[in-house]
Amino acid sequence: MKDPITFADVLSARKTIAGHVIHTPLRPSTALSEQVGSPVWLKCEQQQYTGSFKLRGAANAVLRLSDAQKAKGVVGVSTGNYGRALAYAARNAGVRSVICMSELVPQNKVDGIRAQGAEVRIIGRSQDEAQHEVDRLVKEDGMTMLPPFDHADIIAGQGTLGLEVIEALPDVDTLLVPLSGGGLLAGVALVAKSINPGIRVVGISMERGCAMITSLQEGKPTAVRELPTLADSLGGGIGENNQYTFDMCADLTDDFVLVNEAQIADGIRAAYHDDQQVIEGAGAVGIAALRAGLVDNPGQTVVLTTGCNIDMALHKRIAGGEDVDLMAE
């Protein structure tokens, strides 16, 4: 692990990205509060520019580049939301961006990235395969790789989401954080434990191919097979040479929860009907876990609803009550 990321780094990131991101609302969920028996709040990060929390880290990383790095451009691998955020941040800074993705990334997310002005390259059927093209562009074109999670500036930027939550609700008991590569979980947990070690931080992911939880169980970064899932933004590996997020998630997280596809669909549906929020599968896993009774004694809880970039035809099917299984399609 490189030099550790500190609470001061998150405070610095907040200054860097001020004016480049939205301070998103924290709103109570009456339906979830009644079901759980304690107050539940939604941190509506799906209302962020580009439709997900990823802009916080991407903006922080791009704005901290040197002029020489900006001149060469940035490249990254993405399952969709990070690519959109990096493209947006790069375009606003006048920097060329190339986003590499696997064939499993939904077309609406590919189109969203192109709309932000990035060059898109579809490589293979996994994030690890797409990473090979990133490595080539770094070596041959001198571009700067900004990974979606395992990077100090990315993690510090994502941590600003935790700052907003705890400053608005200092007596929060439990934070439910979607988990993929761990950049968000690492940043938010760092902030929570720095301010109040008693805050419970729970990482939540999908049963179909959660690389971080598998890696933590194995005691080292471990590759998993990527499968179609409603929580597509949580797909991908954590990298064999993980520098930050593996250790930070292991050290700072209290619990981990896995939800299945039916539970994710239920979370998407409930967010729409009960709270009038359009939330993608990855952003709905916290709601899914609460509704399935997978979080014991949560107390005053904040669910990070982290993205809204779902194909709207798919959302309509789920909201309408259809039993959607992407493995069968």
Side-chain angles (χ1 to χ4, degrees), residues 30 43 55 115 120 130-131 159 169 195 209 214 229 267 269 278 320 327:
T30 301
K43 177 59 171 172
L55 183 60
V120 172
Q131 182 65 42
L169 199 68
I195 295 174
T214 300
T229 171
R269 194 176 297 120
V278 173
M327 288 286 284

Side-chain angles (χ1 to χ4, degrees), residues 216-253:
L216 292 171
Q217 291 170 341
E218 294 291 328
K220 63 181 180 180
T222 302
V224 299
R225 182 185 175 197
E226 291 183 43
L227 299 169
T229 171
L230 292 173
D232 55 272
S233 293
L234 302 184
I238 70 167
E240 292 182 3
N241 298 312
N242 190 284
Q243 299 292 311
Y244 294 103
T245 62
F246 176 80
D247 288 333
M248 292 180 73
C249 288
D251 294 342
L252 299 171
T253 310

Side-chain angles (χ1 to χ4, degrees), residues 43-126:
K43 177 59 171 172
C44 297
E45 191 65 9
Q46 76 274 7
Q47 296 180 22
Q48 186 58 256
Y49 296 135
T50 75
S52 86
F53 75 95
K54 291 285 191 179
L55 183 60
R56 294 174 182 268
N60 191 45
V62 169
L63 291 168
R64 289 175 180 269
L65 293 174
S66 68
D67 289 342
Q69 289 173 316
K70 290 178 180 178
K72 292 284 189 177
V74 296
V75 59
V77 67
S78 176
T79 52
N81 284 340
Y82 175 67
R84 189 183 298 224
L86 182 57
Y88 179 95
R91 184 180 64 178
N92 284 353
V95 175
R96 174 195 177 202
S97 65
V98 178
I99 309 298
C100 302
M101 295 177 286
S102 85
E103 296 170 4
L104 293 180
V105 176
Q107 188 61 44
N108 72 296
K109 294 193 173 182
V110 175
D111 294 342
I113 291 169
R114 285 201 175 102
Q116 297 295 344
E119 301 170 38
V120 172
R121 304 195 181 178
I122 307 298
I123 310 291
R125 289 187 59 80
S126 75

